[in-house]
Amino acid sequence: MDFLKSAVASAIAKSSSFPYTIGDRIDLDASIWTLSNATKKDDNSPCSIFTFDLNTQRTFVPLAKNAARKLRTIRHPGVIKVLDVIENETHIYIATEKITPLSWHIRRNSLSEETIKRGLYNVARTLAFINGEASSIHGNVRVGAVYTSDSGEWKLAGFETLSSMNDDEAMIYTYGSLVPDSNRYAPPEVASGGGWSVVKKNPLSAPDSFGLGTLLYEAFNGNFPGTDRIAQPGKIPANMVAPYKRLINTNPKLRLSAGHFLEQGKKSGSFFETPLIHIIEGADSLGLKSEEERNQFLAELEELTDDFPEDFFKIKILPELLKSVEFGGGGPQVFSAIIKIGVKMSDEEWEGKLLPVVLRLFASPDRAMRVCLLDNLPAMIDRLPQKDVNNKIFPMMVTGFTDTAPVVREQTVKAVLTVITKLSDRTINGELLRHLAKTANDEQPGIRTNTTICLGKIARSLGASSRAKVLIAAFTRSLRDPFVHARNAALMAFAATADVFSEEDCATKVLPAICASLIDKEKFVRETANKAFDTYANKIKHYAETLPDTAAPAEGAARPATPTRMGNQNDASGWAGWAISSFTNKISTAKGEMNSAPAIPVNGATSTQTRSLPVSGRATPLANPVPDRPATIRLASTTTSQRTSVETPSEAPVDDDVLDAWGEMDDDDDNFFDAPAAAKNNTSTITISTTTPFDDGGEPDFAGWLAAQNKPKAKPPLPKGLSKAANGTSLASRPAAVRTQSAGPGVTAAKKAVPVANKRPVAVAAATKKVDLKPKDDEGGDDDWGAWD
């Protein structure tokens, strides 16, 4: 019959109407209850359930009902939290928070001294409340009545005989001896034959004080031999021996109450003066503390060691810290403590408890909090979903790039290295590069330096279509920075990113930029420049070894008839003749008037070019075709076949404004580090004529020059400006408004179209700058470097 009733009860517990799912059973010491793990069906949260069988334990029914009633009515942090009490015809169910019997930990000897002290502190504080404010006697204080929560706190239960002393018919008087093992743990005055009724003659706290003493003994020594053998303290700490003996005093009137036990333990230097207990007391009121008290609390939190249970921080301390940082003005220090606790949390716990708070804090306008968030990003980034980083965190984070506080801008630049792995390619090559272009020109030299370092480290995350342009422009600008560490950072960044540039870029753009740093005024910059130079020189050398010996066609193939040039020979005289021919051509073009030749059509336009100029149309690499003021003439562009460019295949289109923000490597950046340079409105172009349609690619024509020297000398041309135009009118006699104007300093062998009376353009030789072949005096001529001395 009993088996049938038990089966019916189990079926009821598993029915759909029962709000809990009962799981494994947990072994208990002598008790009228059975304890089982369980889950709540509504949210699958873990819990525990005490079960009492009304049919098989009729003798203990008053104790079970008293325990259920008292657990419902007494609310205290030191009492197990009751979720629900369900009673039917066969069973009483008490659903509580997830708990574990304390006896399990004591038997495994897994409790440290600090943990035991913290537990005893909780139990003593709970008993002080029951004996004082509640005017009641627990009457069943022992290891079997104490449980540990998920946070590691000791929680008091065993309310079978809890009675109010204001009640003349208190439960403990009648049913105190029915509790299992009551004779073993009973106080001496009860065990001596007086029964539980003797508690009326003694202080109300006496029975529970003795029970607290037995709990203290068993917690430190591992087992309870009986009331007659606990006089020897065993492993109890020395500073707790004296109060322990007063707790177990055979005279109930001389026993130390739980409240007095707490007072003695909290005295300066006493046994309850530990960092962990201070945190227990301070966490509940953290939001109400002053800044000084909060700092002291956080300092004590820093002192905690790994001996303390991690669950205590996650479940007990963390919620209070979160409330403090969001609503109590806890500030960055509290958030740093939160992150340290969060490191030991699982991904699910972190996402459920910390992620919502982090997202809200990033929207905070508090600069100190923003800097704290950026500092702690490395500890959080692995827990942050990529979607949240792109859509929520980075849009709020970019405001730091333009913040008025330099520290915020600097920390924002540093944080890019942390979030770069979670950003999309579109965000990196769009918004991020635009902001880094601004910080690369920041007024603070440290921010400019960190931007260079940042670009060097994220180089491989940039899009292939814009990577070389952006990096070369940024690093070459930093090489001209007056701040020495910025120049050094640019050289190191060049060395670290050598593999992302093509060999053509290395030879034509990177190495020329590095060469100027080889004679930097600072020794350590020169040393870094030498290392970077060697890296690129070796790369180019290895690449050159893979190239064919010559690009000339094989013997027997048809070759175009070209004049013999001494510059193509390999002997020393040829090399010298090349240099002389080059200078001779420049000097000859500076004299007299250049002969006009038929224009070569280029993309629908007309373009002419002299044989002594390179394809670019410049006489020398230093020539600046930009006039001093806007002009109406245009520079003829070369044909597509004449242009040579090396580009990395692009993976995705990049906005033009992003690339324009970085500018070109050869831009005029004299005022780059003073203020953002204004966009130059350069609408002037120059038309360059050539004497013959043959394009020699800018190679010096030394043989042609020799042939010209042997010809009969022709009549010297008229001086510049006095030659007659097609209609026979001298240019010198015309108004100044239609005369040829200089195209600006540095422009050589240039011609401009000048309007005439019949509205036909006339090619007039522009003034040229003579080449000074004398060595220059180096004093005061350090190029642009002198500006930063």
Side-chain angles (χ1 to χ4, degrees):
M1 190 67 177
D2 292 339
F3 172 77
L4 179 61
K5 291 180 179 179
S6 178
V8 173
S10 178
I12 294 174
K14 294 181 181 179
S15 64
S16 59
S17 60
F18 194 74
Y20 301 93
T21 300
I22 299 178
D24 300 332
R25 180 174 174 177
I26 299 175
D27 293 333
L28 291 177
D29 292 337
S31 175
I32 66 174
W33 302 92
T34 59
L35 179 63
S36 303
N37 293 321
T39 56
K40 195 173 182 179
K41 291 182 178 179
D42 292 345
D43 53 6
N44 290 327
S45 59
C47 61
S48 298
I49 290 183
F50 289 94
T51 304
F52 179 80
D53 191 336
L54 293 173
N55 296 319
T56 60
Q57 303 181 90
R58 294 183 182 274
T59 306
F60 304 111
V61 169
L63 297 177
K65 290 187 175 182
N66 183 68
R69 184 172 62 254
K70 295 298 183 180
L71 284 173
R72 277 178 171 177
T73 56
I74 293 182
R75 299 289 182 179
H76 189 272
V79 176
I80 59 173
K81 182 180 179 181
V82 176
L83 304 177
D84 200 358
V85 176
I86 301 173
E87 184 175 350
N88 54 34
E89 296 178 354
T90 58
H91 289 81
I92 297 176
Y93 301 99
I94 303 177
T96 69
E97 61 181 313
K98 185 72 166 54
I99 56 176
T100 304
L102 176 62
S103 58
W104 282 21
H105 302 286
I106 292 178
R107 289 169 185 169
R108 292 197 299 265
N109 195 24
S110 60
L111 301 176
S112 65
E113 180 178 327
E114 294 297 325
T115 302
I116 295 175
K117 288 181 179 179
R118 183 195 66 170
L120 291 173
Y121 176 82
N122 284 344
V123 174
R125 191 169 58 169
T126 306
L127 288 176
F129 168 78
I130 292 175
N131 297 154
E133 286 85 344
S135 300
S136 301
I137 296 177
H138 186 281
N140 189 25
V141 180
R142 63 175 92 169
V143 169
V146 180
Y147 299 84
T148 60
S149 65
D150 283 344
S151 62
E153 295 177 280
W154 291 13
K155 297 295 187 77
L156 189 61
F159 283 9
E160 289 80 8
T161 58
L162 192 144
S163 305
S164 172
M165 291 297 97
N166 297 326
D167 188 359
D168 294 336
E169 300 296 330
M171 282 286 301
I172 194 170
Y173 301 152
T174 307
Y175 298 99
S177 58
L178 291 179
V179 177
D181 263 356
S182 63
N183 292 332
R184 184 182 176 201
Y185 288 94
E189 64 273 16
V190 174
S192 62
W196 285 97
S197 60
V198 299
V199 300
K200 298 180 181 178
K201 304 177 182 179
N202 298 315
L204 182 147
S205 62
D208 293 337
S209 297
F210 187 85
L212 180 60
T214 62
L215 175 64
L216 190 154
Y217 180 92
E218 196 165 357
F220 282 106
N221 291 286
N223 62 343
F224 182 73
T227 57
D228 56 341
R229 297 183 182 180
I230 60 174
Q232 297 299 324
K235 298 180 181 178
I236 296 176
N239 58 354
M240 300 185 72
V241 171
Y244 163 72
K245 289 185 175 181
R246 292 191 61 186
L247 287 174
I248 62 170
N249 196 308
T250 55
N251 187 350
K253 295 182 180 180
L254 299 178
R255 287 179 193 151
L256 195 65
S257 67
H260 291 147
F261 179 71
L262 277 176
E263 291 179 3
Q264 287 193 7
K266 293 173 64 176
K267 289 181 180 179
S268 178
S270 191
F271 49 88
F272 282 154
E273 281 292 303
T274 65
L276 189 56
I277 293 176
H278 285 173
I279 289 174
I280 292 174
E281 291 184 331
D284 296 336
S285 58
L286 182 59
L288 304 177
K289 292 182 179 294
S290 64
E291 183 176 357
E292 182 179 354
E293 292 173 337
R294 186 165 53 244
N295 292 338
Q296 182 180 359
F297 171 82
L298 295 173
E300 292 174 349
L301 190 61
E302 291 283 346
E303 295 177 5
L304 295 181
T305 64
D306 295 335
D307 294 337
F308 302 110
E310 299 173 5
D311 294 335
F312 170 74
F313 297 106
K314 294 189 294 186
I315 298 175
K316 182 65 179 178
I317 302 299
L318 183 60
E320 299 299 328
L321 294 178
L322 292 175
K323 288 189 291 184
S324 175
V325 76
E326 280 200 273
F327 312 112
Q333 290 182 327
V334 174
F335 184 79
S336 298
I338 290 173
I339 294 302
K340 290 181 180 179
I341 296 175
V343 169
K344 300 182 179 181
M345 299 173 66
S346 64
D347 292 341
E348 293 76 12
E349 292 173 333
W350 206 97
E351 184 175 356
K353 295 181 179 180
L354 292 188
L355 180 59
V357 177
V358 171
L359 296 178
R360 289 194 295 267
L361 290 178
F362 261 104
S364 172
D366 185 5
R367 285 193 176 98
M369 180 55 66
R370 172 62 62 84
V371 172
C372 180
L373 288 167
L374 297 176
D375 285 340
N376 287 282
L377 260 181
M380 300 187 294
I381 191 63
D382 292 336
R383 306 290 187 93
L384 296 174
Q386 185 174 5
K387 182 179 180 181
D388 289 334
V389 174
N390 273 284
N391 299 336
K392 298 180 180 180
I393 292 180
F394 187 75
M396 295 181 286
M397 179 178 148
V398 295
T399 59
F401 286 108
T402 56
D403 195 273
T404 56
V407 64
V408 178
R409 300 199 302 272
E410 184 171 9
Q411 292 300 323
T412 305
V413 172
K414 292 180 180 179
V416 171
L417 300 178
T418 304
V419 301
I420 191 70
T421 57
K422 294 294 182 77
L423 297 180
S424 63
D425 293 338
R426 183 180 184 87
T427 301
I428 293 173
N429 297 289
E431 189 173 6
L432 177 60
L433 284 184
R434 280 195 293 268
H435 286 292
L436 290 179
K438 295 177 182 177
T439 56
N441 192 26
D442 196 273
E443 61 182 6
Q444 297 293 328
I447 296 177
R448 299 198 301 267
T449 303
N450 285 329
T451 302
T452 301
I453 296 172
C454 176
L455 284 169
K457 292 188 175 183
I458 69 171
R460 290 156 188 84
S461 299
L462 302 180
S465 60
S466 61
R467 179 168 52 202
K469 176 181 176 64
V470 169
L471 295 181
I472 293 176
F475 296 162
T476 51
R477 285 178 177 180
S478 294
L479 288 177
R480 303 190 297 272
D481 198 304
F483 188 53
V484 60
H485 296 289
R487 303 198 299 273
N488 194 61
L491 292 168
M492 290 190 295
F494 262 135
T497 57
D499 60 312
V500 304
F501 302 119
S502 65
E503 286 76 7
E504 289 78 8
D505 283 341
C506 294
T508 61
K509 297 179 180 180
V510 179
L511 272 181
I514 294 176
C515 285
S517 299
L518 295 174
I519 54 172
D520 193 273
K521 291 182 171 62
E522 299 294 335
K523 180 179 179 181
F524 77 97
V525 175
R526 296 194 298 270
E527 293 175 349
T528 307
N530 276 286
K531 294 178 182 177
F533 183 88
D534 292 342
T535 299
Y536 282 90
N538 291 333
K539 179 178 179 179
I540 295 172
K541 180 180 178 181
H542 293 316
Y543 172 71
E545 292 175 353
T546 65
L547 298 178
D549 294 340
T550 180
E555 293 186 6
R559 295 184 181 180
T562 57
T564 303
R565 303 181 184 274
M566 293 180 64
N568 291 336
Q569 299 179 13
N570 295 328
D571 56 0
S573 61
W575 178 85
W578 182 91
I580 295 172
S581 175
S582 177
F583 282 115
T584 305
N585 286 341
K586 292 179 183 178
I587 296 173
S588 63
T589 56
K591 295 180 180 180
E593 184 178 10
M594 295 178 62
N595 296 326
S596 61
I600 302 173
V602 178
N603 295 334
T606 301
S607 175
T608 58
Q609 187 173 354
T610 59
R611 202 167 43 171
S612 61
L613 295 178
V615 180
S616 62
R618 298 182 182 181
T620 64
L622 296 178
N624 185 2
V626 182
D628 293 338
R629 56 177 179 251
T632 58
I633 52 179
R634 292 195 166 190
L635 173 66
S637 61
T638 59
T639 61
T640 304
S641 61
Q642 293 171 335
R643 296 179 182 177
T644 303
S645 63
V646 179
E647 295 183 358
T648 305
S650 60
E651 298 174 354
V654 182
D655 296 339
D656 292 338
D657 56 345
V658 175
L659 299 179
D660 293 341
W662 291 97
E664 295 289 348
M665 184 185 72
D666 56 352
D667 285 342
D668 184 10
D669 293 327
D670 291 341
N671 299 323
F672 179 79
F673 298 105
D674 297 334
K680 292 182 174 62
N681 184 17
N682 183 9
T683 59
S684 62
T685 55
I686 302 173
T687 302
I688 304 175
S689 63
T690 181
T691 56
T692 64
F694 176 76
D695 182 14
D696 62 358
E699 188 176 86
D701 187 5
F702 188 75
W705 176 78
L706 289 177
Q709 302 301 315
N710 297 327
K711 289 182 179 181
K713 294 186 179 179
K715 184 178 180 180
L718 292 174
K720 176 183 174 182
L722 298 180
S723 61
K724 293 184 179 182
N727 58 0
T729 305
S730 174
L731 293 177
S733 64
R734 297 186 181 182
V738 297
R739 293 178 186 174
T740 303
Q741 298 181 359
S742 173
V747 179
T748 62
K751 290 187 177 182
K752 296 187 177 181
V754 182
V756 293
N758 57 2
K759 300 185 185 295
R760 293 180 180 178
V762 179
V764 181
T768 60
K769 183 177 180 180
K770 293 184 179 181
V771 179
D772 187 3
L773 301 181
K774 295 181 180 181
K776 294 182 179 180
D777 188 4
D778 292 340
E779 292 185 1
D782 289 338
D783 199 3
D784 293 336
W785 290 100
W788 295 301
D789 289 343

